[in-house]
Structure formats: C-alpha cells, structure tokens
Amino acid sequence: FGDAPIKVHQSVKDRMGTPGKLDGLVPGWVPPQMCCSDYEFLNNVEWVSNDAYDKAVQSPIGSFPQWAKVVLGKLENAKINGSQPKFYARVQEWHSSKPLTPLTDRKWGDRTYDAEKDKYPQKEGVPTEFYCPSTPTLVGSDRGSCDFNGTFYPVLPADTASVDEFLIEVWEENLHDDLVGRFVLKYDDPSVTEMMPRDIDDPDGASNAVFWAKLDLYTDDHAVKEHLIPSDPSPLLNTTFTQCIHFFDLLLNKSESELCKPVVTNCEEFINYLTVDS
C-alpha cells in the first residue's frame, strides 16, 4: 500500500536480466507487467528470494527451447482415393502423456475437442489446417506426392509441461475426407530440427508414405520476435517485447489499452473477464 515496494521473486529478475541488454537466463523475456507502456514496473520492486532458490544452480542461457515452429516440406507416396487428390495437414499441440486415439479412416486424434459442446475449450487447442499449395503429382494409380514448400505453423511457446510434441495428421480432401496417416514431432528428438522424411502411420498399418518436416526451436525470446506477426498492428499494441505480442495479440486477443487499465474491482471479476468474457 502507498509507497511500499512490490515484492517479486528473484527468479523473475534472473530470467529477465537487464531490459534491453539480453543478459537474462531467457534473453528478451519480460514479465507481463512490462507490457504496459505507462506502468513503471521496475521502479517500485523489492526482489526477494529463499534458501532453496539461492542454493540451486541456475541453467545457463539458452539451455531449453522457449518457442517452437512446425515447418512442413514434401509429402511423398501418400495413398489417394479420389481422382483429383487434394491434401492438407492438420497440426496441433500435443503432450506425449495423452494416448492418441486409434487410427480410423475418418476420425481426428483430438484430445481437446468437446463433442457435446462442439467446440475447443482453449484457443490453443484448436488444430490448424494447411493445404498443400501445389498440385499433387500422381505416382501410379493410388499414390500421390505434394510439396507443402516450407509451410509453417505459427510460432508458439515451448511449454513442455503442457505440450512436448506436435501431432500432424495428413488428410485427402474429397466428399468424405480420408485420413492418410499421422506422425508426431517431439521436442526432445535429436533429429527434430532437421528437415527430413518422417514415416506416416496410416489406418491400414502398411503405409509407405513419408512427410518431410521439422521443428524450428528457439532458445530465447529475442530471436523469435520477428516471427510473431500481430494480427492487428495497432499503435495500441506494445511490440517492444516478444512476450507482449504473444500475450496481448495471440493469447488474449486484447489491446494494451484494454488490458492495462482498471476494468474490474475484484479478483472474481478479473478472472471472469480473462476467461469467460474473452
């Protein structure tokens, strides 16, 4: 209250470092408070710690992925059913602890889709579909290839507690879309950052299809900033820091002016504002 400083844990300062100098554990990272241009967050802070944190050895800069991007290349030898095949990839975040649904010809592998409500409970859980931009090349009578030509999934935070891989399903579009197969790109796969052919599991269990794909992994916020494109490049959006672009524009889809002014009077209203009303 009054002029009393706000107590913030030392780990926040260590992760952030000195704003503008990129000397923190995650270069370019800032806490959400820094996204409010008119809020002098650092002017009234008392950094506090505890024995457990002080004794721990902090990981060096860039030890773990902070952001990830799926890059799609060429689909080869995919099974086709229609006379004019059109392929698309259905990409979504996944965690390896959640078993995939059994492969069937026309069933998605979603873990987040709520069939009763016919919606996804979280924006981040909604799969993104990417159509192959070129005309497929036929291989024999029942196979085809198509180059996705570096199509990429939007850059997302690499939060391994909730997501440690991407699930990619390959579909052929026709009257009733057919599942060609699926594969995953795991963060901890040593070869995941190489553009190379990935075997596709198909419903018949006998697919020879492969999909060239990789993950681009970024170990700091500064390097990924140029890859985050605000959907609304409004002057009201604070684009100084990577976290702010993602936090305002992609995660909450709200402007700085809206989130950095008091709009509620208590915690219950605030939680409702961020979850229900958004």
Side-chain angles (χ1 to χ4, degrees):
F1 295 96
D3 295 328
I6 301 171
K7 293 185 178 182
V8 181
H9 197 268
Q10 179 67 30
S11 59
V12 175
K13 183 179 181 181
D14 292 342
R15 184 180 175 91
M16 174 177 59
T18 306
K21 291 189 176 182
L22 306 178
D23 57 357
L25 293 176
V26 182
W29 180 88
V30 295
Q33 293 90 335
M34 295 284 287
C35 296
C36 296
S37 303
D38 296 331
Y39 180 42
E40 299 296 338
F41 171 62
L42 297 179
N43 288 354
N44 194 32
V45 169
E46 177 186 347
W47 302 106
V48 297
S49 188
N50 52 54
D51 291 341
Y53 182 79
D54 292 339
K55 292 178 182 178
V57 177
Q58 301 306 312
S59 301
I61 292 175
S63 297
F64 306 100
Q66 301 297 322
W67 301 82
K69 178 177 73 174
V70 176
V71 182
L72 302 176
K74 190 174 184 180
L75 172 66
E76 297 179 334
N77 205 37
K79 184 179 180 180
I80 58 176
N81 293 292
S83 57
Q84 296 180 319
K86 187 175 183 180
F87 296 109
Y88 64 91
R90 196 168 185 270
V91 183
Q92 65 179 301
E93 298 171 274
W94 203 267
H95 197 279
S96 57
S97 63
K98 180 66 176 180
L100 296 170
T101 58
L103 278 169
T104 61
D105 288 342
R106 298 188 178 94
K107 185 175 179 61
W108 299 334
D110 295 346
R111 66 183 172 100
T112 55
Y113 181 69
D114 189 330
E116 293 183 2
K117 297 181 180 179
D118 191 29
K119 70 173 186 178
Y120 292 88
Q122 295 182 1
K123 179 181 178 181
E124 291 74 21
V126 180
T128 302
E129 295 178 357
F130 297 96
Y131 281 81
C132 184
S134 59
T135 302
T137 301
L138 298 181
V139 181
S141 60
D142 64 347
R143 296 282 169 171
S145 299
C146 197
D147 193 352
F148 281 71
N149 196 30
T151 299
F152 64 88
Y153 190 74
V155 179
L156 292 171
D159 184 2
T160 54
S162 57
V163 175
D164 61 0
E165 62 189 22
F166 283 88
L167 170 65
I168 295 96
E169 297 178 332
V170 185
W171 290 80
E172 178 192 355
E173 183 182 69
N174 45 47
L175 182 60
H176 298 289
D177 293 4
D178 294 293
L179 177 63
V180 176
R182 70 186 179 196
F183 65 100
V184 295
L185 294 173
K186 299 177 177 289
Y187 288 176
D188 60 359
D189 181 350
S191 67
V192 76
T193 57
E194 300 177 33
M195 178 59 79
M196 59 183 290
R198 313 286 173 176
D199 292 332
I200 297 177
D201 297 327
D202 76 340
D204 299 328
S207 174
N208 294 318
V210 296
F211 205 148
W212 290 71
K214 69 171 182 173
L215 286 183
D216 283 343
L217 298 176
Y218 304 88
T219 56
D220 64 73
D221 284 31
H222 179 69
V224 81
K225 181 181 175 182
E226 63 182 286
H227 299 285
L228 288 176
I229 304 173
S231 60
D232 178 18
S234 165
L236 298 178
L237 175 66
N238 184 346
T239 58
T240 304
F241 303 108
T242 304
Q243 286 287 334
C244 302
I245 299 175
H246 179 264
F247 183 65
F248 287 143
D249 186 68
L250 302 178
L251 188 62
L252 298 177
N253 194 27
K254 298 180 184 296
S255 69
E256 177 189 348
S257 61
E258 185 177 4
L259 283 176
C260 293
K261 66 180 181 181
V263 293
V264 293
T265 58
N266 57 58
C267 291
E268 184 178 354
E269 287 185 13
F270 180 66
I271 293 173
N272 188 68
Y273 172 72
L274 291 182
T275 56
V276 179
D277 293 342
S278 60

